């Protein structure tokens, strides 16, 4: 029935390409937009275009940026001697939310994956090594995920950095704070036991 | 839906994210060979799968029949996460190569209990600091053997005579080792000692990895032999091999 409405079908198809949006949700959103006033729809369309036109990646750390440098790299208050390495911009935002860190970042845009053939050349690793030699970096804090891919990436970067005489640290991991041991999954407990430390 | 879920021990070879929260998991099972499972909402419920839906994890899976041959995974009890692999990039990458080989060489649903126990032992050996070169040679040799592709080692593949010269040649396309008279320059040269070592190694139970000592020459030539055999049977070059080469 909707096949005779090419404009509607087109919007529906575009919406369903978005992550987490299935066919039903796409239809619901399309109906919603159909009932929205023209001003709001124009604002949405312009916001989408502006995102594509104005937002790119910081030329130094590869976080998202409007302009050459991201807000963190442009901030003179941030400590440039420490670089925190993350897989994705979202991970950077998670660390920023913690307010536990005032150094700089480097976003890799992915992780090494032996099984998918994603190697060092597919990530921003050469750019990282260049920063380490050019900027006087003293410590690298590796904050890649604690998955097999994230760990592979961490090991690889640690190896390269140590060759350059830079101090390398890794985010601690294990039992989440404020949680009861009995509710933690066995994998996390197994890793926490293996990674126990002097007390 | 009323029946109790089935129970199978397996190692996770690969996981692929599917939509927002689900995962498709490739398993090497103890008794049913290679199988694929669908883990609904796996990324939101670590607890249900014991954090156990990552490559190299050995666990007991509870499953029901799903769509087609895809199992519907209910939950998992962790046996071993092989987290020791995460201490060394070479061992981790080699573990990746091992599971990719298995995925490429086994048929889905065909039981391979010997391969299962061998792969478990391979992962456990690497996760506890085992020698990567030894692990690779043993894994490749045993996989080739278990799947019925072992080349002739102790006699000439063409005249079937037992070798009495130290120098022989090897050519997968012609069945394996060759005496110099039969070889006529095809394949590459290897030492009789290497062929002997490989043959002797196959006499040891295939889930034993510790305690092997190979000389440099055996490791080097053995690697060359097995690479050629594997190239002839693999449907494509393993991606993890390119990764290993970059380390
Ligand atoms: Zn930046
Ligand atoms: Zn011969």
């Amino acid at each position: 029935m909707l096949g005779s409405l090419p404009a509607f079908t087109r919007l529906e198809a575009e919406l369903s390409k978005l992550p987490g949006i299935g066919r039903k949700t796409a239809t619901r959103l399309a109906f919603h937009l159909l009932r929205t006033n023209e001003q709001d729809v124009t604002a949405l369309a312009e916001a989408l275009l502006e995102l594509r036109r104005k937002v790119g990646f910081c030329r130094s750390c590869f976080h998202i940026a409007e302009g050459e440098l991201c807000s963190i790299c442009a901030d003179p208050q941030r400590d440039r001697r420490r670089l925190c390495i993350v897989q994705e911009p979202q991970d950077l935002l998670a660390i920023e939310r913690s307010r536990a860190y005032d150094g700089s970042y480097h976003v890799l845009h992915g992780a090494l994956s032996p099984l998918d053939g994603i190697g060092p050349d597919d990530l921003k690793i050469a750019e990282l090594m260049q920063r380490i030699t050019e900027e006087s970096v003293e410590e690298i804090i590796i904050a890649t995920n604690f998955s097999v891919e994230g760990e592979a990436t961490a090991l690889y970067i640690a190896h390269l950095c140590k060759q350059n005489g830079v101090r390398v640290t890794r985010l601690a991991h294990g039992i989440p704070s404020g949680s009861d041991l009995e509710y933690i999954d066995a994998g996390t407990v197994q890793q926490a036991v293996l990674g126990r430390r002097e007390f | 839906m009323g029946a109790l879920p089935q129970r199978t021990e397996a190692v996770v070879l690969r996981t692929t994210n599917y939509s927002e929260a689900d995962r498709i998991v490739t398993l090497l099972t103890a008794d049913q060979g290679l199988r694929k499972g669908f883990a609904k909402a796996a990324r939101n419920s670590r607890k249900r799968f014991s954090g156990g839906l990552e490559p190299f994890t050995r666990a007991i899976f509870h499953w029901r029949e799903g769509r087609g041959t895809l199992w519907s995974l209910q939950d998992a009890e962790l046996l071993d996460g092989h987290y020791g692999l995460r201490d060394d990039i070479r061992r981790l990458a080699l573990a990746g190569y091992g599971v990719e080989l298995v995925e490429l060489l086994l048929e889905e649903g065909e039981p391979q209990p010997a391969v299962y126990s061998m792969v478990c032992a391979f992962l456990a050996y690497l996760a506890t600091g085992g020698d990567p070169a030894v692990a690779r040679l043993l894994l490749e040799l045993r996989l080739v053997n278990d799947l019925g592709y072992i080349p002739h080692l102790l006699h000439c593949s063409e005249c079937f005579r037992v070798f009495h010269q130290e120098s022989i040649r090897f050519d997968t396309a012609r069945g394996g080792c060759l005496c110099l008279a039969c070889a006529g320059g095809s394949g590459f040269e290897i030492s009789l000692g290497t062929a002997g070592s490989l043959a002797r190694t196959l006499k040891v139970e295939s889930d034993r990895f510790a305690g092997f000592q190979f000389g440099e020459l055996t490791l080097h030539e053995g690697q060359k032999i097995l690479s050629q055999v594997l190239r002839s049977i693999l449907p494509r070059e393993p991606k993890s091999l390119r990764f290993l080469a970059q380390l």
Side-chain angles (χ1 to χ4, degrees):
Chain A
M1 197 173 72
L2 295 174
S4 58
L5 297 166
F8 188 91
T9 313
R10 180 180 163 199
L11 175 64
E12 215 184 16
E14 291 303 323
L15 288 170
S16 62
K17 288 181 191 166
L18 297 172
I21 307 239
R23 196 81 215 173
K24 271 186 198 162
T25 312
T27 308
R28 210 171 59 233
L29 288 174
F31 271 117
H32 173 80
L33 289 166
L34 194 61
R35 278 184 242 110
T36 306
N37 67 52
E38 190 163 346
Q39 200 182 348
D40 286 352
V41 172
T42 308
L44 174 65
E46 280 173 359
L48 289 172
L49 286 170
E50 194 176 56
L51 175 82
R52 235 26 229 110
R53 269 198 303 264
K54 285 198 179 157
V55 183
F57 295 109
C58 171
R59 68 173 159 79
S60 176
C61 75
F62 299 97
H63 182 40
I64 47 173
E66 295 196 21
E68 289 265 283
L69 287 177
C70 72
S71 56
I72 295 167
C73 288
D75 182 351
Q77 302 296 324
R78 305 291 295 219
D79 183 352
R80 310 215 163 278
R81 289 165 305 175
R82 286 177 295 138
L83 270 191
C84 178
I85 318 296
V86 293
Q87 286 179 208
E88 303 292 346
Q90 297 92 303
D91 303 327
L92 181 157
L93 296 175
I95 294 178
E96 282 298 287
R97 275 198 302 274
S98 77
R99 296 173 194 277
Y101 180 68
D102 65 353
S104 340
Y105 291 92
H106 190 86
V107 185
L108 297 170
H109 290 275
L112 297 178
S113 176
L115 279 127
D116 300 310
I118 300 176
D121 300 344
D122 301 309
L123 311 177
K124 304 286 181 201
I125 290 183
E127 291 85 347
L128 169 65
M129 297 323 292
Q130 196 182 346
R131 282 184 76 184
I132 289 175
T133 46
E134 287 173 4
E135 303 166 24
S136 41
V137 177
E138 289 169 13
E139 182 184 356
I140 292 288
I141 300 146
I142 304 178
T144 53
N145 290 342
F146 291 95
S147 61
V148 167
E149 291 80 11
E151 299 278 23
T153 312
L155 289 169
Y156 184 79
I157 289 175
H159 175 71
L160 290 181
C161 291
K162 281 177 188 160
Q163 287 178 331
N164 282 271
V166 183
R167 177 175 182 228
V168 181
T169 55
R170 176 89 168 107
L171 288 197
H173 74 302
I175 314 293
S177 67
S179 60
D180 290 341
L181 210 49
E182 65 168 311
Y183 296 117
I184 307 299
D185 68 85
T188 300
V189 175
Q190 200 171 87
Q191 276 178 289
V193 171
L194 286 171
R196 68 191 181 278
R197 57 188 168 87
E198 288 299 331
F199 189 67
Chain B
M1 271 317 259
L4 280 173
Q6 315 233 39
R7 184 188 148 90
T8 301
E9 185 186 317
V11 164
V12 177
L13 303 185
R14 178 193 293 274
T15 65
T16 316
N17 288 339
Y18 185 85
S19 75
E20 274 297 89
D22 310 333
R23 242 174 207 174
I24 292 179
V25 188
T26 307
L27 299 171
L28 175 63
T29 65
D31 52 5
Q32 304 192 47
L34 219 55
R35 299 298 304 236
K36 284 203 163 99
F38 188 76
K40 196 155 181 56
R43 282 188 280 163
N44 306 336
S45 54
R46 276 182 65 84
K47 172 90 172 160
R48 190 154 56 91
F49 290 104
S50 308
L53 285 181
E54 281 224 77
F56 318 131
T57 298
R58 189 164 66 91
I60 303 223
F61 288 90
H62 294 113
W63 56 275
R64 294 176 197 277
E65 295 291 348
R67 201 175 296 168
T69 56
L70 202 64
W71 285 354
S72 165
L73 301 177
Q74 310 293 303
D75 54 60
E77 289 165 40
L78 182 74
L79 295 173
D80 193 341
H82 294 123
Y83 297 115
L85 290 170
R86 301 177 180 200
D87 295 336
D88 181 276
I89 184 81
R90 246 165 240 290
R91 293 192 176 91
L92 189 64
L94 189 62
Y97 170 66
V99 302
E100 192 180 7
L101 272 189
V102 168
E103 204 187 349
L104 288 173
L105 290 173
L106 264 57
E107 290 287 336
E108 214 174 315
E110 187 184 303
Q112 294 281 3
V115 173
Y116 179 75
S117 30
M118 197 265 288
V119 168
C120 290
F122 165 76
L123 293 173
Y125 175 68
L126 280 178
T128 49
D131 181 334
V134 170
R136 179 170 175 179
L137 185 72
L138 291 175
L139 173 90
E140 292 181 337
L141 179 70
R142 288 160 170 176
L143 263 181
V144 161
N145 187 49
D146 285 341
L147 300 176
Y149 297 106
I150 194 73
H152 292 278
L153 290 171
L154 293 176
H155 54 255
C156 175
S157 321
E158 292 195 354
C159 69
F160 295 102
R161 283 199 192 98
V162 175
F163 300 116
H164 34 252
Q165 283 156 306
E166 183 46 34
S167 171
I168 55 176
R169 294 185 78 82
F170 185 89
D171 190 349
T172 307
R174 292 175 64 184
C177 291
L178 296 162
C179 70
L180 294 182
C182 289
S186 88
F188 52 87
E189 195 186 319
I190 61 160
S191 70
L192 187 54
T194 297
S197 283
L198 297 185
R200 273 196 306 281
T201 300
L202 285 173
K203 295 207 159 59
V204 181
E205 320 82 89
S206 75
D207 57 359
R208 222 186 85 194
F209 279 77
F212 282 91
Q213 295 256 322
F214 296 110
E216 275 303 311
L217 185 69
T218 307
L219 284 174
H220 174 76
E221 290 183 346
Q223 191 73 89
K224 216 169 149 184
I225 290 171
L226 290 160
S227 296
Q228 201 190 57
V229 176
L230 284 168
R231 261 201 307 278
S232 74
I233 57 175
L234 282 166
R236 63 165 169 81
E237 196 197 358
K239 290 176 179 170
S240 49
L241 207 53
R242 198 170 64 104
F243 186 89
L244 265 177
Q246 283 185 64
L247 295 179

